[in-house]
Amino acid sequence: MMERERIRMGILLVLFGVLGGLVDGVRVQDVSAKMSLNNFFAPSEKIVNGNEVTSMADYPWLVSMGIRTVLGIAFTCTAAIVDETLVLSAAHCTHGVNRSDLYICFGLEFDSSTCRQIEDYVNHPDYVDSDLTLTFGFDLSLIKMPSSLLQDGRKVLMLSTLPVITWTSSASIGWGSTNDNSDPIVLRELDTILVTATGCDLLVGPSADARLVCADGDHDGTAGVTCSGDSGSPLLVLGDNLDDSYSVGVLSFVSVVQGTNECNSENESAYNSLSAASHIEFLEDAAASFGGSLTYAESDECDRDAFFACMEENDLSCALNDQGEDCCAGVETTLDCLAPIIDNCGNQQLINDFPSVSETLMEQCNPEEVACFPGNAVVTLEDGTTKPMDRLEAGDTVLGGDGEFSDVFGFSHRDSTEFGKFIRLEMSADFIELSPNHYLAVGDKLIAAKDVKVGDQISLANGDLTAVTAIHRVQLKGVYNPHTISGDIVVNGVLASTYTQTVNPLLAKLLLLFPKALYKLGLREPLGSLLYKTVPNAIVRWIPRGPSKWIA
C-alpha cells in the first residue's frame, strides 16, 4: 500500500474509532480487490470456508468486474445483472475509475478474454469514498452495458425492497481469489443467515440503521465470512425454484482484525440494504436514466408500509441473543403481524420460507432450550489436571468457587452429538462459552450469560475479577450441564454456576436435594441418563424460570 494511502487510512481509523466504528478490536474495510487509490491490484482473499461453485447455471445473474491496468484487465469486484443491460455493484468498486477502463466479465473463473467494456455507470450521490462513511450506506453503483447481457443462459436477478427477516437462509457469493497469484480467481459460495442492522455485532451506534443489513456466515460454527474481492456481490435468498431467487443487499464491508489483513469471521458481513428508501429511489432513478427498469420479488399489491410498521416495535433481531420475556412476546407479535402481509406480497420464496423461519425464531424462546457448556470446555480436577467437558464423569471432583473442590453427581444435559448455540465471553486472557441462559458470577450476583455486557467484571478461579472485552455468538458441538454438590464450577478458569434460567435456581436447589442425598449415600449418578438429551417440554413449560440476575 502506498505511503499516502497508509496515512489516509490511519486518519480515517482514528476518526472511525472516535465515532464508534471500531468494533471489538477490529476495523471495517471494503472488500474490493483495490488496495490503494492508484488502482494497484494485489491478490485478494477468498470467501473464507465457503464452497467452490461448479456451474454458472446455479447463479445465472452473477458477473465479475475487471479494470484495465498497465498489465491488462485485472479482477476487482463482483456484481449482479438486474436488467438486460444493467449491472448492480458497490460504489467503492467504481469510484474514481474511468468508464473506458471498467469491464464486466463472465464465467466461473475470472478470464480477461471474456470481459466487455461498460458504457457508463452512476454511483449513489451521497456516497463518499472513505472507510468512515461505509457504515452510513449509499455504497451502490449501477452500471450500463452497451448491449444485452442475456446470452449463454444469463438471467436478471430480482430485488426485494422489504426489510429482511432475521434468520432467513441466505447465500453470500463472490470471486475473491486465493493468496497465490498463480491460483485462478473462481466463484465461491457461503451459506449465511440474514441479520438486521440492529442485531448485527459488526454495527454499532449510528451505523445500525435501515440502510445496512448483515449476513452471518458463522451461524453454524464454520467461521465463514466474505472477504476481499467479494465487494458488490448480491446478498441472495435462493429460491426453491431458481427464478424465485432474489437479492436483499449489496456487499460493502467486513471487519478486519487489527494488525492484520485477515477478514474477521467473528463478525458478520455488511451489505447495503435494498429496502432503504434512499437506496430504492437512487436505483429506480438510475435505471430509468439508462432506459431500463428493475424487477422486484414483490408484487405492486404488497403493503410495504404495513410490513415496516409490523417490525417497528420488534425487528426480530433480539431472538439472536436475548430470549427474554419481552423479546419473545415481541417476536411472536411481529410474526403474527407479518403473516397476512407476506401472504399478499407475491414473493413466493418469502412465502415458502416464512413458516420455517418463524418456527426457528420462536424456538429461541422455547423453555426447552439447551442450557449447557460445549464439549470442549475445560474443568480442573482435584489432582491439578484438566479434563474436557465431554470426558467428565459423575464422581469426578472439580474446582469450584473459593478454591474449593466439589463432586459432580449428575448431568441434566449430556449429548456429544448435538450442536448448541453459545455465548462466548472474552476477557483479556480468558474466555468462557456457555448457553445464553446459563448463570455465571458477575460481582456478587449470578447473571445469565445473555445479559452480561462488555465491561462487566467476571470472577475467575482465583477470586480475581476481570472485565469482559468482547461478546460473540458461536455454535459448537456437544451440550453438557454437570451438577456439583456445591452448585458452582470453574470452566476455562472462569467461575460459573451449575444453575440456569430454565428452572428457577431456588426451585432447582430443592429439586436436587434428594439426588444429592442419594449420591452421598453411595449412588454414583442418582439423576441417571433420563435428562441427558433434554427435559420433556410438557414438564418444563410449567416450571418457573429464573430471573436474569440472581443473588446466590
Side-chain angles (χ1 to χ4, degrees):
M1 186 178 288
M2 301 295 291
E3 183 63 27
R4 68 188 179 114
E5 177 69 358
R6 284 197 294 267
I7 294 172
R8 168 182 175 271
M9 285 293 294
I11 294 171
L12 288 174
L13 289 173
V14 170
L15 289 172
F16 201 68
V18 171
L19 293 177
L22 287 174
V23 182
D24 294 342
V26 299
R27 59 183 173 86
V28 298
Q29 176 175 292
D30 71 54
V31 279
S32 67
K34 292 193 293 184
M35 300 300 288
S36 80
L37 295 178
N38 297 324
N39 290 338
F40 170 75
F41 289 82
S44 55
E45 298 292 332
K46 63 185 179 181
I47 282 183
V48 179
N49 292 329
N51 300 308
E52 187 173 323
V53 177
T54 58
S55 172
M56 284 305 301
D58 295 332
Y59 299 99
W61 334 273
L62 266 291
V63 291
S64 54
M65 295 174 61
I67 188 170
R68 183 181 298 280
T69 71
V70 293
L71 299 178
I73 299 174
F75 169 75
T76 179
C77 282
T78 300
I81 300 171
V82 293
D83 188 52
E84 184 176 3
T85 60
L86 299 179
V87 172
L88 177 60
S89 190
H92 72 258
C93 294
T94 58
H95 180 82
V97 180
N98 291 328
R99 285 156 176 77
S100 59
D101 290 334
L102 194 59
Y103 293 78
I104 296 299
C105 312
F106 312 100
L108 281 173
E109 297 182 7
F110 179 81
D111 181 353
S112 61
S113 68
T114 69
C115 297
R116 291 163 54 182
Q117 192 176 51
I118 75 159
E119 178 179 311
D120 200 359
Y121 72 82
V122 59
N123 291 346
H124 195 293
D126 293 327
Y127 173 75
V128 178
D129 184 37
S130 85
D131 289 342
L132 174 64
T133 57
L134 285 175
T135 59
F136 301 148
F138 313 124
D139 188 11
L140 296 171
S141 182
L142 197 65
I143 301 166
K144 175 72 165 69
M145 298 299 292
S147 59
S148 175
L149 294 166
L150 304 184
Q151 299 95 25
D152 301 322
R154 290 189 288 272
K155 297 184 177 184
V156 169
L157 178 62
M158 294 192 298
L159 309 180
S160 174
T161 61
L162 295 177
V164 302
I165 298 177
T166 290
W167 228 297
T168 300
S169 295
S170 54
S172 296
I173 191 164
W175 269 274
S177 70
T178 63
N179 284 323
D180 187 343
N181 278 312
S182 64
D183 284 350
I185 302 173
V186 298
L187 185 62
R188 299 178 68 86
E189 60 187 350
L190 176 68
D191 290 334
T192 56
I193 60 169
L194 301 181
V195 182
T196 61
T198 53
C200 183
D201 288 341
L202 178 60
L203 306 177
V204 293
S207 66
D209 63 35
R211 288 191 296 272
L212 297 174
V213 63
C214 289
D216 184 357
D218 191 32
H219 65 100
D220 54 0
T222 58
V225 67
T226 57
C227 205
S228 303
D230 300 318
S231 274
S233 61
L235 179 51
L236 295 167
V237 175
L238 296 176
D240 297 333
N241 296 312
L242 190 64
D243 290 340
D244 290 333
S245 302
Y246 58 91
S247 173
V248 298
V250 175
L251 181 58
S252 182
F253 63 92
V254 296
S255 65
V256 180
V257 180
Q258 279 188 307
T260 76
N261 283 321
E262 296 178 2
C263 296
N264 186 1
S265 63
E266 292 184 351
N267 287 126
E268 305 90 341
S269 303
Y271 291 72
N272 277 250
S273 172
L274 299 181
S275 69
S278 60
H279 293 166
I280 296 171
E281 182 180 4
F282 159 70
L283 290 174
E284 290 185 342
D285 289 348
S289 71
F290 287 140
S293 61
L294 305 175
T295 303
Y296 295 109
E298 293 81 40
S299 64
D300 292 339
E301 290 72 31
C302 184
D303 192 341
R304 292 183 69 253
D305 291 339
F307 199 107
F308 274 92
C310 286
M311 301 186 73
E312 188 172 354
E313 291 297 323
N314 187 313
D315 69 357
L316 307 175
S317 62
C318 68
L320 287 169
N321 53 18
D322 183 342
Q323 305 159 13
E325 290 184 8
D326 290 343
C327 167
C328 294
V331 166
E332 187 170 11
T333 299
T334 298
L335 293 174
D336 289 343
C337 180
L338 289 174
I341 300 172
I342 289 173
D343 285 341
N344 293 320
C345 267
N347 183 329
Q348 187 57 53
Q349 194 54 43
L350 180 58
I351 293 171
N352 293 349
D353 287 340
F354 186 68
S356 61
V357 174
S358 298
E359 182 179 356
T360 300
L361 287 167
M362 289 310 301
E363 282 177 356
Q364 307 309 306
C365 298
N366 194 323
E368 191 182 0
E369 65 192 3
V370 174
C372 304
F373 302 101
N376 61 359
V378 175
V379 298
T380 301
L381 303 182
E382 193 170 20
D383 62 4
T385 61
T386 59
K387 181 182 280 192
M389 195 69 68
D390 58 10
R391 291 176 51 204
L392 193 64
E393 300 285 348
D396 284 341
T397 303
V398 298
L399 181 62
D402 299 322
E404 300 292 329
F405 288 86
S406 181
D407 284 3
V408 174
F409 68 89
F411 294 81
S412 56
H413 274 98
R414 194 183 189 192
D415 190 342
S416 62
T417 61
E418 183 176 353
F419 281 85
K421 292 181 172 64
F422 300 94
I423 289 181
R424 178 185 174 99
L425 303 175
E426 295 182 359
M427 288 68 75
S428 59
D430 302 277
F431 72 90
I432 185 171
E433 293 158 335
L434 66 174
S435 55
N437 64 352
H438 208 112
Y439 290 117
L440 75 164
V442 180
D444 62 349
K445 296 182 177 66
L446 293 178
I447 296 182
K450 64 183 176 59
D451 294 309
V452 174
K453 309 297 182 186
V454 170
D456 282 352
Q457 298 288 319
I458 301 295
S459 297
L460 300 179
N462 60 8
D464 291 345
L465 298 178
T466 184
V468 175
T469 58
I471 301 174
H472 303 289
R473 299 185 307 273
V474 295
Q475 180 166 299
L476 300 168
K477 190 174 184 179
V479 288
Y480 297 84
N481 190 24
H483 288 279
T484 63
I485 297 295
S486 64
D488 53 33
I489 186 170
V490 170
V491 177
N492 291 8
V494 178
L495 181 61
S497 173
T498 59
Y499 298 112
T500 74
Q501 281 188 290
T502 302
V503 180
N504 187 289
L506 294 177
L507 178 59
K509 282 188 173 185
L510 291 174
L511 293 174
L512 292 174
L513 284 176
F514 184 61
K516 280 184 183 180
L518 292 178
Y519 177 81
K520 291 178 180 179
L521 291 174
L523 186 59
R524 180 176 175 82
E525 192 172 359
L527 289 176
S529 60
L530 175 65
L531 308 180
Y532 275 9
K533 296 292 184 180
T534 186
V535 181
N537 188 46
I539 297 175
V540 171
R541 72 171 63 222
W542 301 108
I543 297 178
R545 291 171 61 83
S548 61
K549 297 181 181 180
W550 179 58
I551 300 177

